[in-house]
Amino acid sequence: MTADVRQIRTAAEQALAGAFSDLKPRLVGAERERADAFRMFEEAGLPHRRVEEWKYTDLRALMREAKPLAGKPGKTALDSALAAAKGAGVLAGVDARRLVVVNGTFVPELSDTKNLEAGLSIVSLSDALARNDGAASGIGQTVPTKDVAVALNTAFMTDGVIVRVADGAKIARPIVVAYVFTGDAAATFTRSMVSLGNDAALTLVETFEGPAGVDYQVNTALDAVVGDRAHFDHVKIGRDGGKALHLGTTMARVGAEARMHDFAFTTGSAVTRNQVFLNVIGDDSKVAINGGNLLKDRQHVDTTLVVDHGSLGCESRELFKHVLDDESRGIFQGKIIVQPGAQKTDGKMASHALLLSESAEADNKPELEIFADDVVCGHGATAGALDEELLFYLMARGIPKKESEALLIQSFVGEAIETIEHEGVREALLELAAEWLKARG
């Protein structure tokens, strides 16, 4: 005799199931995609430490409750977000086109959508879904995945931006999408899409900000399709409030002879999971996935990425720098896959953690899956404290200990930040790192 074993649902899983049923009238468009995605979540449940890809970030334990879906922002919320629309904050000095999403809703009146460059198109996801005109087609198809965070995002997505760049168009000014949360504890599910035609170029920066004392939840995703010989730079800056839970996913498909650089920088939130799923489908392309984290208190940041090489002569580089203070925890899980026939692949992956406290923790799990024989692939990971000899060298020249430590830390994380191509964005993040070090005391 056999008995059916049923998984006991947590309070958060039960709340998500109830919310999906109750919110169906509000969730416009993509009915089939939403239903399929939620069915996937129901079968798997929230990931936990026995799920290999989530072994370091037990979401079932960390997400004790599912916050209600944030409503459309009212006047108070818009007033609070006005600073982001005016370009305040870390990117205040960068000449960019700014788009603002408040509490999961795109806000045209706070966004710069006029006088678009030739070949550039910007629409909101909600408008595209409501019109069902094909602008939002392809959701979930860029890089097919059974990841539960992505499934939940697809099921509950409310709004975001769709950016399209035509063949040959090169957009000089960066596009900055400011995701701002304000108000009481709630959840947001934003989904954005980027499509670059052949020979196109674009720099996209996503910033996330919210209040320090509110335990809100963010689930955000970006689908990117990079055409042949196109150049796409993507920078993500996480400055969520200190109690926030942030789940972020970038999914990209890269064509032939193209270049893509993805960079993630995190200083905020209580728990962050940044994941990148990247498929290189065209020959002779170059991709880079880099990042830096500056963490303190009990912050937890998990960087998980998969680079799937499916074509000839492609190159990938991954470099991550983690600065961990107090009882913070930095996690890096990176996998390079080389498919059969993807000869001449050149892949290198490195993760380095700087521990400023004996209570800080760094976990590294680099992986290679190689099914071709003419490749050059390697990975490395290190974790350690500040170099005492270098610290002594600086102090012996009259630099106080705290300033000497700050110089060494800034140099450490600066190696990753320097990989950002846009000078203004690069300088802004170097300044943000300096501010974090100054606040550290």
Side-chain angles (χ1 to χ4, degrees):
M1 177 178 179
T2 59
D4 292 333
V5 178
R6 294 188 178 182
Q7 180 177 300
I8 299 176
R9 288 187 176 183
T10 66
E13 290 168 339
Q14 294 178 47
L16 287 166
F20 186 70
S21 176
D22 295 341
L23 291 169
K24 279 186 179 180
R26 178 179 163 188
L27 300 173
V28 178
E31 289 84 1
R32 180 180 59 80
E33 290 84 355
R34 292 182 190 276
D36 290 346
F38 195 78
R39 191 177 305 112
M40 185 184 301
F41 160 71
E42 284 193 306
E43 292 175 356
L46 290 173
H48 46 81
R49 58 188 176 88
R50 289 188 294 277
V51 177
E52 182 63 25
E53 294 82 2
W54 290 79
K55 64 184 291 185
Y56 298 110
T57 302
D58 189 338
L59 193 59
R60 184 176 294 174
L62 292 168
M63 189 174 172
R64 295 292 185 182
E65 59 177 328
K67 302 298 182 183
L69 188 66
K72 290 189 175 182
K75 184 178 184 304
T76 301
L78 294 179
D79 289 344
S80 299
L82 190 57
K86 291 181 177 179
V90 64
L91 298 177
V94 178
D95 179 23
R97 181 181 297 277
R98 287 173 168 79
L99 311 175
V100 181
V101 179
V102 181
N103 292 357
T105 298
F106 177 70
V107 184
E109 58 266 35
L110 299 184
S111 301
D112 180 9
T113 57
K114 298 180 180 179
N115 302 317
L116 298 180
E117 294 89 335
L120 175 63
S121 168
I122 299 174
V123 298
S124 76
L125 177 75
S126 59
D127 285 348
L129 290 174
R131 294 195 304 264
N132 193 28
D133 59 2
S137 63
I139 287 179
Q141 299 176 24
T142 304
V143 181
T145 175
K146 294 184 178 181
D147 182 81
V148 171
V150 176
L152 283 172
N153 181 278
T154 302
F156 286 99
M157 58 184 176
T158 54
D159 211 348
V161 297
I162 300 176
V163 179
R164 289 183 171 180
V165 184
D167 290 351
K170 302 185 187 302
I171 310 303
R173 294 171 65 203
I175 294 178
V176 175
V177 186
Y179 299 89
V180 182
F181 183 86
T182 182
D184 298 327
T188 63
F189 295 84
T190 54
R191 186 70 164 256
S192 292
M193 305 178 71
V194 173
S195 176
L196 272 71
N198 297 336
D199 302 291
L202 174 70
T203 295
L204 179 78
V205 183
E206 297 183 292
T207 67
F208 295 84
E209 300 188 35
V214 181
D215 58 341
Y216 62 95
Q217 296 171 350
V218 173
N219 187 324
T220 184
L222 173 71
D223 289 282
V225 177
V226 183
D228 295 345
R229 300 172 302 282
H231 185 177
F232 180 45
D233 285 334
H234 174 234
V235 179
K236 178 182 177 182
I237 305 172
R239 303 180 69 203
D240 285 300
K243 290 188 176 181
L245 169 67
H246 181 109
L247 304 176
T249 306
T250 298
M251 295 163 285
R253 186 170 72 243
V254 182
E257 300 179 49
R259 292 173 59 195
M260 176 177 172
H261 181 204
D262 185 271
F263 188 92
F265 189 78
T266 303
T267 61
S269 78
V271 176
T272 292
R273 163 96 168 191
N274 282 325
Q275 45 188 27
V276 179
F277 303 121
L278 194 154
N279 283 4
V280 185
I281 63 170
D283 296 346
D284 301 314
S285 289
K286 295 184 179 181
V287 299
I289 307 175
N290 302 322
N293 301 313
L294 297 173
L295 310 179
K296 59 184 179 179
D297 300 326
R298 301 191 68 181
Q299 287 181 283
H300 176 116
V301 173
D302 179 343
T303 300
T304 295
L305 61 93
V306 178
V307 181
D308 193 337
H309 289 273
S311 299
L312 294 170
C314 295
E315 175 184 292
S316 64
R317 295 289 185 269
E318 293 81 43
L319 174 64
F320 283 83
K321 295 293 189 82
H322 316 267
V323 178
L324 308 173
D325 204 355
D326 303 321
E327 297 179 65
S328 61
R329 187 181 186 188
I331 296 137
F332 174 80
Q333 298 185 101
K335 179 185 291 187
I336 295 175
I337 302 173
V338 181
Q339 298 290 354
Q343 306 292 358
K344 304 295 182 183
T345 294
D346 182 354
K348 293 181 175 61
M349 177 168 51
S351 173
H352 305 291
L354 182 58
L355 306 178
L356 305 180
S357 163
E358 293 184 357
S359 301
E361 179 179 338
D363 299 288
N364 291 293
K365 195 184 77 169
E367 298 177 86
L368 301 174
E369 290 187 6
I370 301 173
F371 303 99
D373 54 10
D374 187 6
V375 303
V376 178
C377 292
H379 61 71
T382 62
L386 285 169
D387 189 315
E388 292 294 338
E389 291 186 4
L390 289 177
L391 188 61
F392 176 79
Y393 176 86
L394 295 175
M395 294 173 62
R397 279 148 183 78
I399 303 176
K401 183 178 180 180
K402 284 295 182 182
E403 293 182 22
S404 298
E405 290 179 347
L407 286 171
L408 293 176
I409 296 169
Q410 195 161 15
S411 175
F412 173 81
V413 73
E415 182 184 359
I417 297 175
E418 289 290 348
T419 64
I420 297 174
E421 294 191 24
H422 190 277
E423 181 180 3
V425 177
R426 182 173 65 246
E427 293 300 321
L429 285 189
L430 288 172
E431 180 61 29
L432 179 59
E435 291 177 4
W436 185 90
L437 291 169
K438 185 178 180 180
R440 179 174 176 260

